[in-house]
Amino acid sequence: MGKKIKKEAEPPPKDVLPRNLQRLNTMGAAGNLYFDPLTIESKKVATVVLMLNSPEEEILAKACEAIYRFALKDDVKKLLRELDVMSSVIAQLAPEEVLIHEFATLCLANMSAEYTSKVQIYEHGGLEPLIRLLASPDPDVKKNSIECIYNLAQDFQCRAMLQELNAIPSILDLLKSEYPIIQLLALKTLGVITNDKEARAMLRDNQGVDHLIKVLETKELNDLHTEALSVMANCLEDMDTLVLIQQTGILKKLLSFAENSTIPDIQKNAAKAITKAAYDPEIRKLFHEQEVEKCLVALLGSENDGTKIAACQAISVMCENSGSKEFFNNQGIPQLIQLLKSDSEEVREAAALALANLTTCNTANVIAAAEADGIDPLINILSSNRDGAIANAATVLANMAMQEPLRVKMQNHDVMHALLGPLCSANTVVQSKAALMVATTACDVEARTELRNSGGLEPLVELLCSKNDEVRRHASWAVMVCANDELMAVELFRLGALDILEEINLSVSRKNKFSEAAYNKLLNNYLSLKYSLTGYLSSSNIINDGFYDYGRINPGTKLLPLKDLCLQEPSDLRAVLLVNSKSSDVSPPASMEDKSSDIGYGRSISSSSSLRRVSKEKTNYPFSTRSGSPTEDKLEPTSGRNTAVSKSTTKEKGSRKGRGKKEEEKVKEEEEVAAAPKLTGEGSPDKEWYPPSDLDFCVYVDEVTKSIFPITNIEEQIEALAKYVAEKMGGKVSKEKLHDFGWELHISELKFQLKSNVVPIGQIKKGIFYHRALLFKALADKIGIGCSLVRGEYGRAWNEVKLMNESRKGLIGALPPLEVYVVDLMFHPGRLMKLRSKEADLYRYL
């Protein structure tokens, strides 16, 4: 083969400019050729990557520099990763040429900022040579290497590898460097690495705390103090390290350093370090022993908002320790109250957070916050733009509301009106705290009235529909408290609270103790619905005027209001039994049962209650429009309520004494006809509707008040009332003749006469179990006999009373438990049968 000669006319490659090629000397037997230096310029990345395989150090250095410059562009970085340049660059860390190390580490430092490049450096074993180069004599190599390690340390796998390679001693040596940038990068790297427990132990074992203290004690290095404190904060999370710091007196130095420093960032980071470490109970205890609270109180007086915020956050964590909580009672709370008035919303939020934790389960701190005039600024924060500040302020106010004197002060500051905004918030935490605050502050009638007048009930009811468990729980609690007021209960019924609570309680996952309690509380204000749903009224459930027994309904079924039922035509449906002692000729204030015609639910507010509760109800129900029995008319002659009823019934009763039987029947028939228009809704359509009157029931109330109420023995009272009820309902009925009693025909005739399915209980003259049990309960409530009403199956219902066992009377010591008896109103009126006895079961069950 002939010798190849280059053609002169052939153009050079596009990526290579003209070269000066001159034949030099021929040396050695092998005939190796040496050339003068070549000037090469390339614009192709691939060409530069190939240059990394050159054995010449100068070319390698220039190639590394070129790749670094290429890597400054994002699109080039992607291409470099595709060309797998990392392995070639990392390979250049092995030679002992400093110039190559400088540009190779510079290239890696730049590339390591991206996650994909980090993975490639880690996978190609780049960490080990980088750690080795931390001891390089060249400061640029050190700087580039530690910067690359800092970027890599953001990944937990790289941090674990750094611990395996024992990198911490080499990094600590960099703190002795005379170059601040190297010291700063070393501290930043330590700050990341020491997030891991194992790394903190390695730092302690290598006297890392001493290195950090030297940095903090050197005033010339004040620009590094912030990062040094950041590393120290991580060290404080390690109990062994903290004990070492405490035993050597370093902790005292740190607290003094933070308190006396004039650099805001140092004070801020010191407070953050305390916050981070204080989450551990043992560390909190140790901090308290070192009186860290004094340092934090001093930091509250800083002019820097960031320092104030950090100090407040530290206090909020430290007060988990009971000793710290007591310390801040005298020192700290007044300063925090002042911070509530700050122009900075962030400061106000942090101060409110500290106060929230300080006042939780601590009456002394609650009183201290109130005495420092904290109520007004806390209420002002409820209108803040920051949800966190509102939630924290609401928590403090809820804690204050637990104390009655403070609750009164809060009401004087119009706190209920201020709660309207938080209740309408979209933030679930704010909603929860606002509902909790309603639950704690609405314990008084005045507060509930203010809440209702300010429009707070509607958003409160809406919170019952929240998907958040805590919001729903606190809203249920608040509704339960508000339902103590009957006028509030009216509004809650109108807003649909009962329907929502019923739906919640049907769900296993959504219901809670408060939702069940709130539902029962509302039902106690609407006994008609309660009896239809549950079939039970306790002795504390006093039947008032307007109560009606519709019969059993299933959960989720709406109970029609009394007005709608009265306006219905008679049908084959079960008769609705009505209890009402109010006269239709008098226009009484609207009761809850009356209002049920508009809201779908309701319970009578205006009612005759038991005599033993009269004085109590006057005190506890200032908004109640109770009216009713002739007995109460005698007790309140100037009230003007039901005067017409009393007079008419008394006059009627007196006149009947001189009349014959036929005349009495005629008068009674006229009364029934007079009552019919009321039942059917006849008359002027513009006239306000009232429940139909029941003059016979009024007479019953008057008679039992005069004849049975004076009896002093409770058992004799019950027996007398049972016989009275049985007499009015058709007398004693034997079991054998029960099917011939004819009560169904009698009820049908009444429905036809009244032109309605609603039948007043007093007009029933032939009644069985459930008629008599309702009449007994209604009359017993009027004269103060405690009894319950229980609905059974197949038309059965009965009354239960609690009496002391005769055999236990006179015994010395604690009172024996009362025993429950069933009252016989059918077979042997007045007989008391012990609950679950054979005769009681025969009475209760078919």
Side-chain angles (χ1 to χ4, degrees), residues 469-770:
D469 291 342
E470 187 175 86
V471 173
R472 202 164 52 248
R473 182 167 56 251
H474 287 167
S476 300
W477 184 4
V479 169
M480 180 189 72
V481 173
C482 291
N484 283 315
D485 189 333
E486 293 186 348
L487 293 178
M488 290 283 284
V490 171
E491 187 70 10
L492 289 170
F493 286 135
R494 187 185 69 81
L495 296 172
L498 195 67
D499 289 341
I500 298 172
L501 287 168
E502 183 178 13
E503 181 185 351
I504 290 173
N505 292 332
L506 291 175
S507 170
V508 177
S509 59
R510 297 178 64 206
K511 72 177 182 179
N512 56 75
K513 296 295 184 183
F514 285 115
S515 67
E516 294 174 345
Y519 181 72
N520 290 330
K521 180 70 74 172
L522 283 173
L523 279 184
N524 287 336
N525 282 299
Y526 187 14
L527 295 184
S528 300
L529 178 62
K530 179 177 182 179
Y531 189 51
S532 292
L533 282 172
T534 65
Y536 179 78
L537 295 181
S538 69
S539 58
S540 61
N541 296 140
I542 306 301
I543 290 181
N544 295 315
D545 294 331
F547 173 88
Y548 58 101
D549 176 14
Y550 179 82
R552 189 191 308 275
I553 63 173
N554 296 322
T557 305
K558 287 186 178 295
L559 178 64
L560 289 177
L562 180 60
K563 179 179 179 181
D564 292 353
L565 293 171
C566 287
L567 298 179
Q568 288 180 351
E569 293 294 326
S571 66
D572 293 336
L573 297 176
R574 174 190 183 279
V576 179
L577 307 182
L578 172 66
V579 176
N580 184 29
S581 63
K582 289 189 295 188
S583 171
S584 60
D585 298 332
V586 182
S587 298
S591 69
M592 284 184 63
E593 293 288 353
D594 300 337
K595 291 187 178 182
S596 67
S597 61
D598 299 322
I599 63 178
Y601 291 106
R603 171 190 168 220
S604 174
I605 297 176
S606 53
S607 138
S608 309
S609 60
S610 61
L611 291 179
R612 67 181 179 186
R613 294 189 170 210
V614 169
S615 60
K616 181 178 178 182
E617 288 175 346
K618 288 179 186 176
T619 305
N620 296 340
Y621 298 93
F623 296 96
S624 176
T625 54
R626 300 185 183 274
S627 65
S629 69
T631 306
E632 287 184 358
D633 290 336
K634 293 178 181 180
L635 293 173
E636 301 179 61
T638 59
S639 64
R641 292 180 289 184
N642 271 358
T643 308
V645 176
S646 302
K647 290 181 179 179
S648 63
T649 53
T650 306
K651 180 179 178 181
E652 179 187 55
K653 187 177 178 184
S655 62
R656 285 184 179 180
K657 291 180 180 178
R659 297 177 182 176
K661 185 175 181 181
K662 292 183 179 180
E663 189 175 354
E664 287 183 1
E665 291 177 354
K666 183 178 179 180
V667 172
K668 181 178 178 182
E669 184 176 338
E670 290 174 356
E671 291 170 354
E672 291 174 353
V673 172
K678 291 290 180 182
L679 286 166
T680 57
E682 294 175 2
S684 173
D686 298 331
K687 188 176 180 180
E688 187 175 357
W689 183 89
Y690 296 108
S693 60
D694 187 355
L695 297 180
D696 286 340
F697 181 69
C698 293
V699 172
Y700 294 168
V701 173
D702 187 42
E703 289 178 352
V704 299
T705 301
K706 292 179 179 178
S707 61
I708 300 177
F709 176 70
I711 300 175
T712 57
N713 184 282
I714 182 63
E715 190 171 340
E716 293 177 2
Q717 270 190 323
I718 294 171
E719 182 180 354
L721 182 60
K723 291 180 178 179
Y724 180 87
V725 169
E727 178 188 350
K728 298 300 180 183
M729 286 283 184
K732 175 181 177 181
V733 182
S734 64
K735 293 181 182 180
E736 295 77 14
K737 297 183 179 180
L738 183 60
H739 61 281
D740 296 329
F741 189 48
W743 66 273
E744 296 98 333
L745 179 61
H746 173 65
I747 298 296
S748 298
E749 291 174 348
L750 286 176
K751 289 163 64 176
F752 178 76
Q753 292 173 7
L754 300 173
K755 299 180 181 179
S756 172
N757 278 333
V758 178
V759 177
I761 191 68
Q763 296 191 28
I764 299 175
K765 306 307 176 186
K766 281 189 176 183
I768 58 168
F769 296 90
Y770 72 93

Side-chain angles (χ1 to χ4, degrees), residues 60 254 623 789:
L60 290 172
L254 281 174
F623 296 96
L789 175 63

